[in-house]
Structure formats: structure tokens, C-alpha cells
Amino acid sequence: GAVVSQHPSWVICKSGTSVKIECRSLDFQATTMFWYRQFPKQSLMLMATSNEGSKATYEQGVEKDKFLINHASLTLSTLTVTSAHPEDSSFYICSARDRSPDINNEQFFGPGTRLTVL
Amino acid sequence: AQTVTQSQPEMSVQEAETVTLSCTYDTSENNYYLFWYKQPPSRQMILVIRQEAYKQQNATENRFSVNFQKAAKSFSLKISDSQLGDTAMYFCAFMSYFSGNTPLVFGKGTRLSVIA
């Protein structure tokens, strides 16, 4: 099956610094990538939808200036948490949708990134 | 907007027994996809089973099967011969058929514990 990777798998940073998380589709081209946030024992909360070559669409309540998303190619999207604070500590998951028309309905998930802000 | 409801926050089942997880959804669309995802302690999201709304036949994948009731907007997951490795969070999800950029809509999840 299709593989989506995320890097890093976990990161610890100091308050006020910025952290970049990469999401890559390894064996397919992704027209659309999604970024989710998940708190312990809760469901996935959609943060934003990104399309290759265009600006991301953010969900209501998500600060676009704080969570910068770049989808520069069909295989890479990045999420940058700017000026991170302890309340940004969470598990971040990306998913990618294959552009192939015959499997355009399936999303593939990355393994997630655990962010801890001290 | 579509919503997905999982009314069982936690469930447990004895090893080798059968368990059913409930899911209901709300939509005005006629064509769509429904999914069950598994999230084990590793937190990797794993697709368990998928159902296309235009197909009347219930999807099955080995020990996993669904009971799709379109009129009732119900989509339950049955796990037969439960195994310890089935212990995980299970999320029901909806996706529009004409998906484009539309994301999955997730339920709140059901935590399943398989007991030896």
C-alpha cells in the first residue's frame, strides 16, 4: 500500500521557537494533504487542507499565522509551528490523498509527530 | 455539514468473541464513502474497511465486516474472533463521494480492549 512518512517522529523544543514537521508521500503523488491534531484519548481534529502549489485552507479557529503550511510539491507538505508555546504540545498527523483517479477516494496517514513544548 | 457519531466511548470483549462497534452519521448526500480506521497504541492510523454508499452489499475484510444501513444512516463494525492485537481506538469516518479536497469527517472514537 501507499506510504506516508513524517519527520520528525517526536520533537521537544523551547517555548518561543519554531518547529517544522515534514510529511512525504513516498510512492505516490498527493494532490491534497491534510494536517490533523490529536489530543490524548480524543479524535483527530482537522487543522488545514493543503493543495500542491496553492495556499492551504484552514479550519475555523486555527491560526494560519501560527501554523504555516507549505505544499511545495506533489510529495511534500510541511507544517511549521511558529513561536511554539506549551499549549501547542500535541500529536500532529498528516494524511495524503493519491491523485490516481482509480484510488482517489483513499487517504493514507503518516505515523504522526509528537511535539512537546517546554 | 456531515456529522459522525460513535456512542460507545469504550468497549471490551473477550478474546475469540465477537464485538460490534456502532456508528451513525448524518448527511444529505446520496453518494459517499464510509470508513473504519484503527489506531493502536503506536497511533498509526490503519484503514480497516471501506464501504461505498452506492453498493448495497456489506463490505468484509477477513474478520471485519460492516452492517451498512443507508436509510438508517448506520454503519456498524463487527469484529469476529477478537484477537489481542485488535485492542485499539476505532474511528468511524465519512467522506463525500465527489471528494475533491474534502477531508474525512471522524467520529469521536471507541476504545476497544480485548481481554485474554
Side-chain angles (χ1 to χ4, degrees):
Chain A
V3 178
V4 175
S5 70
Q6 274 186 247
H7 178 81
S9 56
W10 60 272
V11 58
I12 301 173
C13 69
K14 292 182 178 180
S15 185
T17 61
S18 294
V19 174
K20 180 183 285 188
I21 302 170
E22 292 187 348
C23 176
R24 294 181 184 272
S25 56
L26 298 186
D27 50 2
F28 67 98
Q29 292 183 325
T31 50
T32 306
M33 289 185 171
F34 304 91
W35 287 95
Y36 297 87
R37 184 173 181 177
Q38 187 180 31
F39 292 104
K41 299 186 178 181
Q42 293 189 21
S43 187
L44 281 70
M45 181 187 76
L46 179 68
M47 299 176 66
T49 300
S50 75
N51 295 293
E52 183 263 340
S54 62
K55 290 184 178 180
T57 301
Y58 289 83
E59 295 299 300
Q60 191 173 9
V62 178
E63 300 176 60
K64 62 181 180 180
D65 294 331
K66 180 168 187 61
F67 299 99
L68 300 178
I69 292 173
N70 185 291
H71 193 160
S73 75
L74 285 171
T75 60
L76 173 64
S77 177
T78 60
L79 167 67
T80 301
V81 183
T82 62
S83 186
H85 288 94
E87 57 266 30
D88 299 325
S89 298
S90 191
F91 192 69
Y92 293 88
I93 303 175
C94 75
S95 70
R97 180 168 288 160
D98 195 314
R99 71 180 306 184
S100 302
D102 55 338
I103 53 174
N104 193 38
N105 56 7
E106 189 163 351
Q107 285 188 36
F108 302 96
F109 286 84
T113 297
R114 183 180 302 280
L115 169 63
T116 300
V117 184
L118 302 176
Chain B
Q2 292 84 8
T3 58
V4 177
T5 302
Q6 293 178 251
S7 59
Q8 306 152 315
E10 295 186 12
M11 294 191 71
S12 61
V13 62
Q14 289 290 132
E15 194 175 9
E17 296 297 309
T18 296
V19 64
T20 299
L21 279 57
S22 301
C23 172
T24 58
Y25 59 94
D26 189 27
T27 184
S28 59
E29 299 178 13
N30 190 47
N31 291 321
Y32 45 87
Y33 297 98
L34 294 165
F35 304 86
W36 278 98
Y37 282 90
K38 168 185 178 181
Q39 189 180 41
S42 68
R43 303 189 79 170
Q44 171 72 58
M45 294 289 284
I46 301 167
L47 177 63
V48 174
I49 201 164
R50 174 177 59 197
Q51 175 80 42
E52 290 89 345
Y54 58 86
K55 292 185 178 179
Q56 293 185 338
Q57 187 172 6
N58 289 326
T60 61
E61 287 287 341
N62 300 314
R63 298 184 293 107
F64 299 88
S65 62
V66 297
N67 183 3
F68 173 49
Q69 301 291 327
K70 190 174 183 179
K73 295 180 181 175
S74 171
F75 183 62
S76 60
L77 174 69
K78 185 171 80 172
I79 305 174
S80 303
D81 186 25
S82 297
Q83 300 176 359
L84 296 178
D86 296 332
T87 293
M89 281 288 290
Y90 287 82
F91 294 101
C92 179
F94 172 100
M95 189 175 78
S96 296
Y97 181 77
F98 298 103
S99 55
N101 297 336
T102 56
L104 291 165
V105 178
F106 287 98
K108 291 187 175 182
T110 296
R111 182 174 300 278
L112 177 67
S113 298
V114 180
I115 303 166

